[in-house]
Structure formats: C-alpha cells, structure tokens
Amino acid sequence: MNVSDVFGINSEVRLESYVDRGDLDTAIGKLLVRNTHIALKGESKCGKSWLRQKNLPNAIVVQCRLGRGAIDIYVDALSQLGVSFVVSDTTTGKIEGRVEATGAVGEGLLSKVFGLTGSASASAGASRESIQGKGVVGRDINDLRYVAELIRESRRHLVVEDFHYLSVEERRKLAFDLKALWDYGLYVVIIGVWSQSNLLIYLNPDLTGRIEEVSVYWSTDDLKGVLDTGGAALNLRFNAEFADELANLSYGNAGILQTLTIRALDALEIVTAPRTSVEIADKEAIQTAALHYADQLNALYQQFAKRVARGVRTRKDSTGIYAHAMAVIMDASDELSIRGIPLDYIFRIANEREPRIQKGNLRTILEKLEGLQVDEAGRGLVVAYNEADGEVSIVDRQVLLYRRFSTVSWPWEELIEEAGFDS
C-alpha cells in the first residue's frame, strides 16, 4: 500500500485514515432519519466533505459558486436525475417553470410525480401554467413543491456544498426556500464555512426547529487518532512526541495534519508500507515538511494579500481603517485566531495605533471584509466576521502555519502610509 493511499489531501474519503471524531457519524446518522435539515459548518479543509461522503455516499451533491443562486442549485440537482428544469422561454419572453426528462431515470421520475408516460421528451409544467411578467421559477411556492417531489422520489439526499460562496442575498433566499422544502418533506444538507452559530436560522427565523447545525472540529486526541489509524494501515507507529508535534502544528485542522504527515514521510523517504512495523520519531522531518508546505502556500497568501489590498484601495474613505483592522487580525496570536478575535480587541489595538478609528466604523468595515478576499470564482476566504458574536475567525488555518514558517510581508503598513495614518 502506498502512503498516498492513506495520508494527504484527497477529494475522496480515505477510510484507512478516517476517524469518527466526537461520534459525528453517529450524530449525523440520527439526524438523517429525522424530519430536519442539517447544516455542517467548519473551517476550510476540516473534513466536512469526507464526513458527507462517509455518511451520504449516494447523495445529489451541488457545488455553489460565485454568481449562482438557489435556482441554479435546483437546476443542477434535477440534471443529475436526468431531468431538465427549464427556467425561461426566451422566444416568448414569458418566465416559465417546466421540467423535461432527458433520460430513462428522468422519465421514470416524471412518470411517478406527474403521472406521465411515453418518451423521454415528455414534459410537465412545474407550476401548471406559465408565470408571466413577474416572479422566478424556484421562488414560487408551487414550483418548489414539484422540485421537492422529484428529488424526494429519487430516494437520494440533496447536499448543497460551499454554501458560503453564495452571495448574502442568495443565502437568504435559500434559507427561505428551506422552510418551504421542509414543508414538502425534502430535507437538505447544507455544508459550508461560517463562524456564526445557527447562521441559517439567523437568515430565516422560521427555520427554528427545522434545521440542526453540526460543527466539525478536531481535538488533539482526534488528530492523533488519524495518525494511529492511518499508521496501523501502513505498518507505521508514530512516536508520541512526533504525534504531539504534528498535532500542534495542525491547528486543530485535519487537512493540515494530512498534508504535514505525508510530507514528513516523504522527507523520511517512506513511500510504501514497510514489511515490518517501523517507528516514526524523527521530528526534523516535521520541520522539513512544514517549511516545504509553507513555501508552497506563499503564492496562495500573497495573492490573498494582493486581492485585499486592491479592494481596499478602491475604498478611499476607509482605507486606513481596513488596513489597521487587517494588521491587527493577521498579527493576533494563534490561540486568539482559532478561538475568535473579538471586535473590542481589534478596536483597542487599532485605536491605539490610530485614535481617529471609531468602533462603529470599524464594525461596518468588518462586515464588508469577506467581499475583499474572494476571487472571481468566490474562492479564497481566509477570515470571516461573525456579526452575531462580534468576532473575526480565521477560517483557513493554513495561514497560521504559513506565517509561522515563512517571512511574511503583508501590505497593510503600506496601505496605512498611503491613507496618511500614522502607525
């Protein structure tokens, strides 16, 4: 067996190093048989997708992307069932909602839901009649009923991944749709990165009692369990000090642990499982792995810094506040970054540097921080602001390892000088 069959970042779950941390498999299993939506939240690369694959192997999975909305989610989901969801009739200008079978599976679903028979081209109006002049398919309650019936009839769960890539408005729209889908007996699994507790209920209070939020996080013992499980599969025994060092440098993140582990084994020139049990104890291999990992992350976070700086420069009236806020956030201790950086802490440090910064203005800046970070595809979120708790969280913990093992040059001080603020 190759080391890469067990350790490393993989798009598909690796059962040899999979750990049911905190009995989440059991918790998810209970929720899946109940009449409830499920929201899985956790920072980037914390294992949300593996958890989903392990517990929902045959799900309809829709990936959110920047610029997409709730309707696109339904179109994507139905297309995976062999059903074409026609949103509009461009020839007449009328907004219509109808579904058409594009294969045998889709034809079977339409037959069951609409009572249709015949060829795969058979179609049915999703709302029985065209919607003219106003409204959009998927926003009308009747349209959602047919979408829900078709997916429910497939006997598969609908999973919406990367929820955080939707715009704020589309998140709110989907949150309201979830109430209607619950009424129609379709229970959805939402997966994404957010720091706010019960975000979807915050977006739509009517979801109270209709959705369960599950946080995906790792204790040190859970991370060591990954090493024990994966090591056993490879005939490797990780020394206690070696395991402690790997876990500490992983910042509570399974993805970082997986990457550091395979790179450390590379440094030790262990590519395949040895015939007899081998103890892994050389901690210098971890340092080598971390330095190599940080070097590869350099391009990622320098691009992040450039995006933020470019976005800040377009906001001339608040350039100094943005820059001071970013400086405080990115200089916060590891412990504070993981636990959450309070608004009061950011204000205290920023205000000491520049007395003209006011807490109200700083709060407004933090609420807009997310939009500065993501690229054209909506990817690249590193820090997030929780309006409810008034805290900034590091949602991409790789940046903590990066700044520890690299000489980081952030553009914040330059931005402060450009704005005419004295540091």
Side-chain angles (χ1 to χ4, degrees):
M1 179 181 292
N2 291 326
V3 167
S4 59
D5 294 328
V6 178
F7 291 117
I9 297 292
N10 289 284
S11 59
E12 296 182 357
V13 61
R14 293 291 191 261
L15 295 177
E16 291 80 6
S17 62
Y18 182 88
V19 169
D20 180 14
R21 65 279 193 204
D23 292 325
L24 280 184
D25 284 349
T26 301
I28 297 298
K30 289 179 180 178
L31 293 176
L32 286 173
V33 297
R34 295 178 182 174
N35 299 337
T36 184
H37 298 305
I38 302 172
L40 293 180
K41 74 166 185 174
E43 77 272 0
S44 177
K45 296 180 178 64
C46 71
K48 300 182 297 296
S49 293
W50 276 23
L51 181 66
R52 185 266 300 167
Q53 290 180 39
K54 175 71 161 45
N55 292 278
L56 288 162
N58 190 39
I60 302 169
V61 182
V62 177
Q63 302 279 350
C64 295
R65 287 292 180 265
L66 187 69
R68 299 185 69 179
I71 293 175
D72 299 298
I73 291 172
Y74 310 139
V75 171
D76 191 330
L78 292 180
S79 71
Q80 296 181 47
L81 297 175
V83 175
S84 175
F85 189 24
V86 182
V87 176
S88 61
D89 185 340
T90 57
T91 59
T92 64
K94 298 176 181 178
I95 299 176
E96 297 182 338
R98 71 176 189 276
V99 288
E100 299 177 350
T102 57
V105 175
E107 183 180 354
L109 288 174
L110 290 186
S111 177
K112 291 179 180 178
V113 173
F114 295 103
L116 297 176
T117 59
S119 69
S121 63
S123 64
S127 60
R128 298 304 188 192
E129 59 184 24
S130 298
I131 306 169
Q132 301 184 32
K134 62 180 180 178
V136 181
V137 172
R139 305 259 38 91
D140 182 275
I141 202 72
N142 292 321
D143 299 325
L144 280 179
R145 176 158 65 92
Y146 293 114
V147 171
E149 288 181 8
L150 285 165
I151 296 176
R152 205 173 62 235
E153 188 62 40
S154 74
R155 310 298 183 190
R156 297 168 65 187
H157 280 87
L158 173 60
V159 174
V160 178
E161 287 207 337
D162 297 330
F163 173 76
H164 53 283
Y165 286 156
L166 296 178
S167 68
V168 173
E169 180 59 28
E170 287 301 328
R171 293 178 204 172
R172 192 176 304 278
K173 287 179 181 179
L174 182 57
F176 276 84
D177 276 0
L178 287 174
K179 164 58 170 62
L181 293 173
W182 188 91
D183 289 336
Y184 294 135
L186 179 66
Y187 310 111
V188 184
V189 178
I190 306 292
I191 301 176
V193 176
W194 63 84
S195 56
Q196 183 170 335
S197 298
N198 294 306
L199 171 63
L200 286 150
I201 293 177
Y202 172 79
L203 294 172
N204 180 11
D206 285 342
L207 287 175
T208 302
R210 296 178 172 90
I211 189 167
E212 292 285 344
E213 184 176 271
V214 178
S215 297
V216 181
Y217 64 89
W218 293 79
S219 68
T220 298
D221 287 341
D222 288 334
L223 291 174
K224 291 180 181 178
V226 172
L227 297 176
D228 290 339
T229 302
L234 290 167
N235 216 11
L236 302 175
R237 291 178 289 105
F238 292 96
N239 171 279
E241 292 184 0
F242 188 96
D244 285 339
E245 182 74 2
L246 271 179
N248 289 336
L249 288 180
S250 297
Y251 299 100
N253 185 277
I256 297 176
L257 180 82
Q258 290 276 358
T259 301
L260 284 176
T261 302
I262 194 170
R263 292 192 185 283
L265 293 175
D266 283 344
L268 294 170
E269 298 185 350
I270 299 175
V271 179
T272 60
R275 292 180 179 276
T276 58
S277 181
V278 172
E279 182 181 49
I280 307 298
D282 186 356
K283 291 198 293 183
E284 287 188 10
I286 300 177
Q287 296 298 308
T288 300
L291 286 168
H292 187 204
Y293 192 3
D295 183 60
Q296 288 201 325
L297 291 172
N298 185 65
L300 172 67
Y301 292 116
Q302 287 303 309
Q303 189 62 37
F304 152 74
K306 290 178 181 178
R307 281 198 303 270
V308 174
R310 186 166 55 246
V312 168
R313 287 190 173 98
T314 65
R315 294 162 170 79
K316 297 297 183 182
D317 294 339
S318 304
T319 301
I321 305 178
Y322 273 110
H324 276 292
M326 287 302 302
V328 175
I329 292 167
M330 299 309 293
D331 286 343
S333 67
D334 290 342
E335 180 182 359
L336 199 58
S337 297
I338 292 173
R339 188 175 69 240
I341 310 169
L343 170 63
D344 288 343
Y345 173 88
I346 299 172
F347 172 68
R348 178 172 61 82
I349 303 298
N351 183 258
E352 287 175 358
R353 296 179 54 158
E354 175 45 63
R356 286 177 289 177
I357 294 177
Q358 301 300 310
K359 184 182 291 187
N361 293 337
L362 177 60
R363 181 183 290 107
T364 300
I365 291 301
L366 293 178
E367 291 172 355
K368 300 176 181 177
L369 196 57
E370 184 175 317
L372 295 179
Q373 303 169 56
V374 297
D375 61 17
E376 292 78 7
R379 296 183 295 265
L381 190 63
V382 175
V383 299
Y385 177 62
N386 183 339
E387 295 181 32
D389 297 338
E391 291 183 344
V392 170
S393 298
I394 302 295
V395 296
D396 183 355
R397 301 212 181 154
Q398 291 179 128
V399 75
L400 302 180
L401 182 136
Y402 168 66
R403 71 182 187 182
R404 177 169 178 171
F405 287 93
S406 292
T407 301
V408 182
S409 177
W410 300 118
W412 325 134
E413 296 302 329
E414 180 182 342
L415 290 172
I416 290 171
E417 291 180 5
E418 290 179 9
F421 281 166
D422 296 327
S423 59

